[in-house]
Every structure is written in C-alpha cells, then in structure tokens.
Amino acid sequence: MERNERGAVTAEAAVVIPTLALLTLALAWFVTLGVTQVRVTDAARETARALARGDSDASGLALGRRVAPDGSRFHLRREAGTVVVRVTTPVRSPLAVLSFLPEREVSAEAVARAEGR
C-alpha cells in the first residue's frame, strides 16, 4: 500500500514555525527581565556603597540613576550604622508583539555598613 505524503512538510511547518516564534518571544521576555534585574541590583549596590562612604544623598542617587533603568524608584533608609537602598523598576515588554503581557516589577535591595569618618 502506497501512502501519499504530499503536504506533510507544509503541515509540520505550519505547526513548528509558530511554536518556535512563540518560544523566541518568550526567551526575549525572560532575557529582558534578567538584564533589568542585574541593572537594578547594580544600581542599589552602587548607591548603597556611595552613601556608606559618606557621599550626599543627591550624589549617591545620581550615581544609582546612571546605572538603573529609566523609571526606577529609589528608597533610602539608614538604620543601626547601615545604609539600605531599595531600587524598584517596572519592566515592560521588549517587543510590541508582546504588549499583551502584563507589566512586571523588578526590585533589589543592597545594604552597606556606614564608614566612620
């Protein structure tokens, strides 16, 4: 018995190509989240380090804002000889195609011991 396999490749491609496209878009979203997390962590760390050295709040925040993504929010507090900096930023879809994804929020906190002067 002979089977006719015409169109099988087309049918398989019709399933595989959209699946690969969705996988690629999902990976782009996760990479965006990861990169933003690293930038927020670095911003919190740099700001805490500057403030612990004795830099002014304005100077420390300016340093952190150069590292942090646009739209980041900084929260500073000092307690028991330490400086605590929390940076939070919204993460939006990297591609217009993914605009249906909800906005996520990424945050990081850094603590540094205040240096005696």
Side-chain angles (χ1 to χ4, degrees), residues 54-67:
D55 293 2
S56 69
D57 287 358
S59 174
L61 286 172
L63 178 62
R65 285 196 172 101
R66 283 197 306 248
V67 178

Side-chain angles (χ1 to χ4, degrees), residues 1-32:
M1 181 172 187
E2 187 177 310
R3 291 181 54 183
N4 186 356
E5 294 187 15
R6 283 183 62 180
V9 172
T10 303
E12 290 169 2
V15 172
V16 171
I17 290 175
T19 302
L20 290 176
L22 285 174
L23 179 63
T24 301
L25 293 174
L27 288 175
W29 175 241
F30 287 123
V31 167
T32 299

Side-chain angles (χ1 to χ4, degrees), residues 1 7 9 17 21 26 32 36 58 61 63-64 71 83-84 91 107 110-111 114 117:
M1 181 172 187
V9 172
I17 290 175
T32 299
T36 303
L61 286 172
L63 178 62
V83 177
V84 181
V91 181
S107 65
V111 179
R117 286 198 168 207

Side-chain angles (χ1 to χ4, degrees), residues 39-111:
R39 289 183 65 196
V40 165
T41 301
D42 287 345
R45 187 178 319 129
E46 290 299 322
T47 304
R49 196 176 295 149
L51 295 174
R53 279 193 312 253
D55 293 2
S56 69
D57 287 358
S59 174
L61 286 172
L63 178 62
R65 285 196 172 101
R66 283 197 306 248
V67 178
D70 292 337
S72 295
R73 296 179 310 277
F74 288 75
H75 177 72
L76 312 174
R77 71 180 190 274
R78 289 176 173 80
E79 52 187 47
T82 62
V83 177
V84 181
V85 179
R86 184 171 191 79
V87 180
T88 306
T89 191
V91 181
R92 292 170 196 83
S93 166
L95 304 168
V97 176
L98 297 176
S99 63
F100 65 90
L101 289 173
E103 185 176 277
R104 304 297 257 172
E105 195 168 85
V106 173
S107 65
E109 188 170 275
V111 179

